[in-house]
């Protein structure tokens, strides 16, 4: 490695990102991605099939722009009236009364569902039968009715009361016959689409149905939540109504029926105004007609009694002048009676939507504007109270505004009354002057003129009222809605949910992300050294070599000779060790090699034994010293000649020559075993005997290999490092943890341990492209030579393993 020993752990973590290593960490788990994708796509397919599809339909409705043409002075005084009008119409369309009426006319009180083996489907009008109820009991709305068609004439019926968890026994009935039970009184009639041939066929399986009785209020609430009404474009008066439902035909029918009911409702509203005007006018006409009859009879009797056939020309002139002023006064009285009528209407807290001042002959712009404003406030209050189920917190504020608006209307009516009184007073003054001239006429003529005058007044008022009634009657007969349908709703058979392409796309993304997430979390939680790149990332200590995983338990000391490639890994380590040793004759002989690790199980003893064997095979006199006296291990294939070891020498019970044992299989190799386990291994290593031991071995042997206890568990390795010239730290794949390397990194950075290198042990084929050797080595693809079991490995798996190691 080229990194300097002084490089900090932070600098190690900040090395360049290796994209190949990153991808290979996922590619080697390719089978997880395949399995995840298959499951996700299968789940998406099942979801697309099983999920209840939701369909959307829409229609367009044009609202008359009352500003167009400028006919109404009120609209000219209110610039935002059209927008407010559209908002009002939207709220009317979404009102519970209008939606309930549409649902009732479509007979949506029942829901028909075809029951399949796995999936159920709502039918609407495609159900082969329909329930016609005479009376329904309350329990019907809490019941599930099961109907199974037996043949063209009969069916079986049972019902389950959900709130009582009670199911009735199944009974057989005939189509078209009256049924009386706990649900109520009703009939089950066949529709025109009922196919006798199918239901008479015993193999036909679509004969089981479930029926729910729905309160119209619930149906209305459902559509109120699923309908959307919006203006098509800014400045437009066209509304687009959109609704969703599980049955496309039902959705389209509902929108069409709602617009139909809305238009009909607007016509009825106009007719209501005209009808109220006609009722009031009829009352006035009836009263005046009686008064005319009395006056007419009085005039005839007066003429008959006095024998008068006509009056003089001057009398006629006075009578015509009086008639004009009397007509003016009469109209004034009628207007004031209309004002009294409206005032009483307001004081009785009746809805102002039911009156039409202009239809009564009152054209005062201010009054019309105030009444229209009051109508908006009343509608707003009704809307808020409905939406909040009678608990709208701002109702007090609206009530205050309504009260204030009514006060303004009453004040305006009072002002109008005063204006009419002024006009009437002026007319009476002019009339008084004419009456003064009439008094100069003979008594008979004066009396006749007075009678005719009364008749003329009532006659003029009668004609005026007849005219107003005629206008209202014409309006009532010719009333048409100001709004009309631009586009009718048509069923859409493309569901908005689930969308197959969207479901598969989501499934594909989840199928890739889920295993990637699992692998990433596993990688984050896994703090073990998994490959050479992870080793490079977590330490700057030089790498001496990579030892492959010993799956077949080969050893230099086993009876079965290992393949030559197995030796190459340790030969590479041996070569790299020589670079650490100073062979110059001017210095002290350097030949002691210490092998240690962090914890037990990392292959420290295995590497020590085989490394000693490799040196011995090169005809170098080598000794292996087993100084792991706490937990000594024996390698397979080595049989000690006696049980004496280094613990015997350090304790003074044996000499050096007595504890050294030769290996017959490898002539140049001697071994000093650990011997009996002492109670105080650390204290033995601190004795002078240890110094004499290593001085002796250094001079007698070309290489001295020391197998020590794990350096991360006990201090023996640190104590022995003072004798070593080269230190080998064994790291095992998927065993050694990153925190273990932090400990040895600290020792390395603080220079408390010298000439140290790492041997990466038990590396799998797919984990490293570097093979056994350091750097570019021999390529791990050769392995130890394949055993019979290795050859049985799946070829496809090995192919992907090789790809993932690239």
């Amino acid at each position: 490695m080229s990194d300097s020993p002084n490089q900090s752990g932070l600098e190690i973590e900040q090395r360049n990102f290796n994209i190949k290593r990153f991808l290979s960490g996922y590619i080697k788990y390719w089978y997880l991605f395949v399995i995840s994708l298959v499951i996700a796509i299968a789940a998406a397919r099942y979801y697309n099939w099983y999920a209840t599809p939701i369909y959307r339909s829409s229609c367009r409705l044009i609202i008359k722009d009352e500003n167009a043409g400028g006919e109404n002075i009120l609209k000219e005084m209110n610039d935002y009236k059209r927008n407010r009008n559209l908002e009002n119409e939207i709220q009317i369309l979404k009102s519970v009364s209008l939606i309930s009426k549409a649902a009732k006319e479509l007979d949506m009180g029942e829901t028909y569902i075809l029951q399949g083996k796995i999936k159920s489907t709502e039918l609407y009008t495609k159900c082969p039968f329909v329930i016609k109820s005479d009376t329904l009991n309350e329990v019907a709305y809490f019941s599930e009715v099961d109907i199974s068609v037996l043949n063209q004439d009969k069916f079986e019926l049972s019902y389950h009361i959900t709130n009582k968890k009670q199911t009735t026994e199944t009974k057989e009935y005939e189509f078209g016959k009256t049924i009386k039970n706990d649900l109520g009184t009703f009939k089950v009639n066949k529709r025109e689409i009922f196919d006798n041939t199918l239901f008479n066929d015993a193999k036909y399986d679509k004969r089981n149905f479930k029926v729910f009785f729905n309160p119209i209020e619930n149906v209305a609430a459902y559509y109120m939540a699923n309908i959307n009404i919006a203006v098509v474009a800014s400045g437009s008066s066209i509304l687009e109504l959109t609704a969703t439902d599980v049955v496309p035909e039902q959705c389209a029918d509902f929108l069409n029926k709602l617009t139909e009911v809305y238009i009909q409702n607007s016509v009825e509203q106009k007719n209501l105004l005209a009808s109220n005007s006609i009722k009031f006018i009829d009352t006035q006409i009836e009263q005046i007609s009686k008064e005319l009859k009395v006056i007419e009879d009085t005039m005839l009797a007066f003429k008959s009694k006095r024998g008068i056939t006509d009056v003089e020309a001057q009398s006629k002139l006075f009578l015509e002048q009086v008639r004009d002023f009397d007509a003016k006064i009469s109209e004034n009285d009628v207007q004031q009676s209309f004002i009294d009528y409206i005032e009483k209407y307001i004081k009785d807290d009746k809805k102002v939507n039911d009156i039409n001042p202009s239809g009564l002959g009152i054209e005062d712009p201010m009054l019309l504007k105030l009444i229209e404003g009051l109508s908006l406030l009343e509608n707003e209050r009704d809307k808020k109270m409905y939406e909040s189920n009678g608990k709208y917190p701002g109702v007090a504020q609206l009530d205050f505004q309504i009260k204030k608006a009514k006060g303004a209307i009453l004040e305006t009516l009072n002002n109008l009354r005063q204006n009419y009184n002024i006009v009437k007073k002026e007319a009476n003054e002019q009339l008084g002057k004419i009456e003064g001239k009439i008094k100069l006429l003979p008594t008979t003529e004066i009396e006749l003129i007075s009678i005719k005058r009364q008749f003329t007044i009532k006659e003029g008022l009668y004609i005026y009222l007849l005219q107003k009634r005629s206008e209202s009657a014409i309006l009532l007969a010719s009333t048409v809605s100001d709004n009309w349908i631009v586009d009718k709703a048509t069923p859409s058979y493309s569901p908005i949910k689930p969308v197959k392409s969207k479901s598969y796309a989501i499934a594909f993304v989840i199928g890739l992300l889920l295993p990637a997430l699992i692998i990433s979390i596993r990688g984050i939680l896994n703090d073990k050294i998994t490959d050479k790149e992870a080793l490079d990332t977590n330490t700057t200590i030089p790498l001496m070599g990579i030892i492959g995983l010993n799956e077949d338990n080969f050893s230099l000391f086993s009876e079965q000779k290992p393949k030559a490639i197995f030796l190459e890994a340790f030969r590479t380590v041996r070569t790299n060790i020589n670079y650490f040793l100073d062979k110059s004759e001017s210095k002290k002989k350097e030949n002691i090699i210490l092998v240690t690790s962090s914890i037990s199980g990392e292959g420290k003893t295995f590497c020590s034994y085989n490394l000693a064997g490799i040196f011995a095979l090169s005809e170098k006199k080598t000794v292996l010293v087993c100084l792991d006296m706490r937990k000594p291990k024996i390698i397979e294939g080595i049989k000690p000649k006696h049980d004496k070891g280094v613990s015997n020498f350090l304790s003074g019970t044996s000499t050096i020559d007595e504890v050294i044992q030769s290996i017959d299989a490898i002539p140049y190799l001697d071994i000093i075993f650990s011997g009996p386990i002492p109670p105080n291994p650390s204290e033995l290593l601190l004795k002078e005997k240890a110094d004499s031991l290593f001085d002796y071995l250094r001079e007698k042997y070309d290489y001295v290999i020391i197998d020590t206890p794990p350096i991360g568990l006990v201090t023996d390795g640190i104590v022995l490092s003072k004798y070593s010239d080269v230190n080998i730290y064994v790291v095992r794949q998927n065993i050694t943890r990153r925190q273990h390397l932090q400990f040895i990194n600290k020792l390395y950075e603080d220079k408390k341990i010298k000439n140290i290198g790492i041997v990466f042990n038990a590396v799998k084929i797919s984990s490293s492209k570097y093979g056994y050797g350091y750097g570019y080595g021999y390529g791990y693809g050769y392995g130890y030579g394949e055993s019979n079991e290795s050859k049985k490995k799946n070829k496809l798996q090995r192919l992907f393993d090789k790809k993932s190691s690239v």
Side-chain angles (χ1 to χ4, degrees), residues 25-39:
Y26 294 96
I27 294 175
K28 66 181 179 181
Y29 295 106
W30 61 271
Y31 52 91
L32 290 181
F33 288 93
V34 173
I35 294 172
S36 179
L37 280 173
V38 170
I39 294 174

Side-chain angles (χ1 to χ4, degrees), residues 331-462:
E331 289 182 12
N332 189 291
D333 291 338
V334 171
Q335 294 289 340
Q336 292 203 48
S337 66
F338 290 161
I339 289 174
D340 294 338
Y341 171 73
I342 296 174
E343 185 178 49
K344 185 176 183 301
Y345 215 90
I346 296 295
K347 289 181 178 181
D348 290 344
D349 287 332
K350 295 181 179 180
K351 298 288 184 183
V352 296
N353 288 331
D354 297 338
I355 60 174
N356 183 12
S358 60
L360 298 176
I362 300 177
E363 300 292 344
D364 183 72
M366 184 58 68
L367 178 63
L368 294 177
K369 182 178 180 180
L370 289 172
I371 290 178
E372 191 168 10
L374 177 60
S375 176
L376 292 175
L377 288 173
E378 290 176 341
N379 290 338
E380 181 71 12
R381 185 185 188 281
D382 293 342
K383 172 191 167 186
K384 296 295 184 182
M385 290 295 289
Y386 172 77
E387 291 176 349
S388 60
N389 294 322
K391 299 178 181 179
Y392 176 59
V395 68
Q397 179 66 21
L398 284 176
D399 287 341
F400 175 76
Q401 293 178 4
I402 290 172
K403 183 178 180 181
K404 187 176 180 181
K406 287 183 176 180
I409 292 174
L410 293 176
E411 184 178 354
T412 302
L413 290 174
N414 187 49
N415 292 336
L416 287 175
R417 184 182 290 108
Q418 292 178 4
N419 292 337
Y420 286 132
N421 287 334
I422 293 172
V423 173
K424 182 178 180 181
K425 182 179 179 182
E426 292 178 355
N428 284 328
E429 289 177 355
Q430 296 296 327
L431 186 60
K433 294 177 181 179
I434 297 173
E435 286 177 344
K437 295 178 181 180
I438 292 175
K439 290 179 181 179
L440 300 176
L441 296 175
T443 303
T444 301
E445 292 183 5
I446 292 174
E447 290 180 5
L448 182 59
I449 288 173
S450 177
I451 295 172
K452 284 190 174 183
R453 175 185 168 190
Q454 294 179 23
F455 182 81
T456 303
I457 292 172
K458 298 298 181 183
E459 184 183 37
L461 184 57
Y462 184 79

